[in-house]
Amino acid sequence: MKTVIKGVTSIEEYKMAKDAMEKQVSLAYERHMSFVKDWPYGKPTKAWFDNDGNICVEYESGKWWHYKNLDLPFPTWW
């Protein structure tokens, strides 16, 4: 999966940011799939943070979403 990480100043900071991003992507993917009966979009292929700090995930189908509140019972995506 391709990740876009901006604003880091060291390799260690990049690695930590990438690890945190991959965990959020995994959570977003799992939570979104749990609300969709037949997931037609494939696996995550790219991730980045939008200007408001929300995780964005693009899938194999080319479709992508912004995600927030992933830790709540009803997360938000658009």
Side-chain angles (χ1 to χ4, degrees):
M1 176 181 67
K2 180 179 177 185
T3 56
V4 179
I5 299 173
K6 298 179 180 179
V8 296
T9 58
S10 69
I11 292 173
E12 186 61 33
E13 191 177 359
Y14 170 82
K15 288 178 181 179
M16 289 173 44
K18 185 175 185 217
D19 183 55
M21 179 181 277
E22 288 174 349
K23 288 178 182 173
Q24 285 192 31
V25 168
S26 179
L27 181 58
Y29 177 48
E30 290 172 14
R31 296 298 311 276
H32 200 160
M33 281 195 323
S34 74
F35 283 87
V36 178
K37 184 177 179 182
D38 294 315
W39 183 256
Y41 307 110
K43 294 182 181 179
T45 59
K46 183 178 178 183
W48 65 95
F49 290 106
D50 68 14
N51 291 334
D52 296 321
N54 300 302
I55 188 77
C56 298
V57 181
E58 181 176 330
Y59 296 92
E60 291 171 324
S61 67
K63 299 264 186 193
W64 63 276
W65 285 268
H66 301 260
Y67 293 93
K68 72 177 188 177
N69 301 324
L70 292 169
D71 55 336
L72 298 178
F74 295 99
T76 304
W77 52 78
W78 67 100

